[in-house]
Amino acid sequence: MAVPHGSNETSYLLPPNKEDWEGQGVPDFIYGQKDLMWEGIQWPRNTASLLDTPPPSRFDTALCSAWRQRMELGLFRYCLGELQTQTLPGTVGFVAQLNVERGVQRRRPQNIRSVRQPFDPKQFNFNKIQPGEVLFRLHREPGLPDVLQQEDILVVINVSPLEWGHVLLVPEPSRGLPQRLLPGALRAGLEAVLLSSHPGFRVGFNSLGGLASVNHLHLHGYYLSHRLPVEGAPSEPLDPGGHLHLLQAVPAPGFLFYTSGAGPDLEALISRVCRATDYLTDHEIAHNLFVTRGAPPGKTAPFSALTGVRVILWARKSSFGIKEGEAFNVALCELAGHLPVKTSQDFSSLTEAAALALIQDCLLPHDQAEEVQAALVALTTQKEQ
């Protein structure tokens, strides 16, 4: 994402001397209702102008300027250049990117054995990151209508980035929360998407067993200047109130939640999503979640207007550890249609059919998927009565 070099936003930059980083403290990014952009964010019609429009928001400027500085200072495991990108031929619209360094340099996943595994302070966690890796703290102004006061969330660089601006959203690390989605963390993820004026800033969550590599509560956020299939894929309602939908199109069927308004509507969505993820966690079912601007549920088109926020939830087979030898590992971005590929050979030979086969191999068997769907519909229906 392009950020003007002449920006006056410098309070999120590290001081010149490394010795001063630890003593600087974490700056607050304070935001209010006026900063949440529900309307007017769309993809430009001219794809050649994707990197230049729309103008960056205050959030985008703060995040990208601080992120760029950390890259220049060498705080990442590798220097992320412009990634070779292609849209795979076919009907899905997979966006594949060659990211060899991430496949080689990323931290090895922890030894995860259960979706409900407790936090272990002896393992790597976000209390152990280097000074300078924290960009800022998201701090919502008190008094936003109809919602609870949001807990502060640290915005931290992902030292093995998928794409430009790849960060982690981490609730207070000292609480030692395991990788189980909580309402406060989801709310921060939704609001981060709304704070960005870039239609391609997305947020996601991997459960344990869903390729989360660190058992310490965090969400991912990153910029991708490409449309993804899930933004406008058609869906059908699963409950009488129309609160839970089934995303029908590939890459993979998923549960769709949608809102186009703040206040009670947003809080209701957060509650519904977290009831669903609580059910999956309690039943030892791995899952991935993706938050993106998108079209309302129903019979939408691939290039529908971005009128609100879509939250897509996939229940999947548990996968503990990284599978070697495959073109990509299936987690939040792959299920949404973004494929970070590990090797040049796989990047040049990958087809839509091969990508679909890898993804569908990670999904639940049909009978179990039907059981999960019935349970989530029942949860939604009971709560709305």
Side-chain angles (χ1 to χ4, degrees):
M1 164 138 185
V3 175
H5 286 284
S7 170
N8 293 324
E9 189 64 78
T10 57
S11 60
Y12 306 105
L13 302 182
L14 293 171
N17 296 323
K18 188 174 182 179
E19 295 78 14
D20 298 330
W21 293 359
E22 194 162 2
Q24 175 178 271
V26 178
D28 287 333
F29 181 90
I30 299 173
Y31 67 96
Q33 183 72 34
K34 65 183 183 303
D35 296 301
L36 303 180
M37 291 170 282
W38 286 94
E39 298 177 349
I41 308 301
Q42 302 294 335
W43 289 106
R45 293 185 179 182
N46 179 8
T47 56
S49 65
L50 282 176
L51 294 177
D52 300 322
T53 58
S57 68
R58 190 168 62 91
F59 171 80
D60 296 321
T61 301
L63 189 157
C64 292
S65 60
W67 197 91
R68 178 193 290 114
Q69 186 210 32
R70 271 59 166 192
M71 180 64 73
E72 292 169 349
L73 290 170
L75 292 180
F76 292 79
R77 291 187 168 220
Y78 48 87
C79 183
L80 186 76
E82 185 173 347
L83 297 175
Q84 191 175 347
T85 304
Q86 62 174 332
T87 301
L88 297 186
T91 59
V92 177
F94 281 118
V95 177
Q97 289 189 309
L98 179 60
N99 194 335
V100 176
E101 293 285 355
R102 179 173 168 84
V104 174
Q105 300 287 349
R106 68 176 299 190
R107 181 181 288 109
R108 299 299 301 171
Q110 293 176 2
N111 183 19
I112 306 295
R113 301 174 301 280
S114 166
V115 178
R116 295 179 290 173
Q117 190 161 311
F119 174 77
D120 182 356
K122 296 177 184 176
Q123 296 284 337
F124 171 80
N125 62 76
F126 300 115
N127 293 302
K128 301 182 179 183
I129 61 176
Q130 297 182 53
E133 291 185 26
V134 180
L135 303 183
F136 49 81
R137 182 186 294 106
L138 280 177
H139 181 78
R140 188 208 276 154
E141 291 175 349
L144 277 176
D146 302 314
V147 297
L148 300 173
Q149 178 58 32
Q150 172 66 20
E151 62 184 293
D152 291 348
I153 304 287
L154 297 185
V155 178
V156 180
I157 62 170
N158 187 321
V159 295
S160 302
L162 281 168
E163 243 289 9
W164 180 262
H166 189 177
V167 294
L168 305 175
L169 307 179
V170 183
E172 177 50 52
S174 63
R175 295 174 64 191
L177 298 169
Q179 183 68 348
R180 177 176 182 145
L181 190 63
L182 295 177
L186 177 58
R187 187 181 299 111
L190 286 158
E191 291 185 345
V193 168
L194 293 166
L195 285 169
S196 175
S197 63
H198 194 294
F201 183 76
R202 281 85 170 214
V203 164
F205 172 85
N206 296 322
S207 79
L208 301 180
L211 263 61
S213 59
V214 177
N215 185 16
H216 196 182
L217 181 55
H218 65 285
L219 283 74
H220 294 261
Y222 70 103
Y223 295 92
L224 179 69
S225 292
H226 296 271
R227 290 179 178 269
L228 289 176
V230 293
E231 292 175 19
S235 64
E236 63 178 17
L238 292 176
D239 70 302
H243 300 301
L244 180 66
H245 290 74
L246 182 66
L247 199 69
Q248 297 169 306
V250 290
F255 299 105
L256 171 63
F257 305 81
Y258 174 84
T259 184
S260 58
D265 287 348
L266 184 63
E267 292 303 304
L269 178 141
I270 291 166
S271 178
R272 292 183 193 110
V273 172
C274 287
R275 285 200 303 273
T277 56
D278 281 347
Y279 171 87
L280 296 175
T281 303
D282 291 342
H283 288 78
E284 199 63 38
I285 299 170
H287 47 281
N288 306 97
L289 180 142
F290 196 76
V291 181
T292 183
R293 293 184 186 270
K299 296 180 180 179
T300 54
F303 300 106
S304 298
L306 309 179
T307 56
V309 176
R310 285 185 162 205
V311 179
I312 305 103
L313 174 65
W314 294 275
R316 45 90 55 82
K317 296 175 186 175
S318 290
S319 177
F320 299 113
I322 295 293
K323 293 182 179 179
E324 303 294 347
E326 296 184 343
F328 57 85
N329 298 111
V330 178
L332 65 92
C333 57
E334 291 82 3
L335 288 163
H338 173 211
L339 311 178
V341 180
K342 303 174 192 175
T343 70
S344 298
Q345 180 177 349
D346 285 327
F347 182 76
S348 61
S349 63
L350 186 62
T351 64
E352 179 179 274
L356 284 172
L358 272 177
I359 290 172
Q360 291 171 0
D361 187 52
C362 295
L363 303 181
L364 295 176
H366 180 266
D367 289 349
Q368 189 180 8
E370 290 286 313
E371 181 182 335
V372 168
Q373 178 174 312
L376 296 192
V377 170
L379 271 177
T380 302
T381 306
Q382 290 167 10
K383 189 65 178 180
E384 302 301 330
Q385 289 177 348

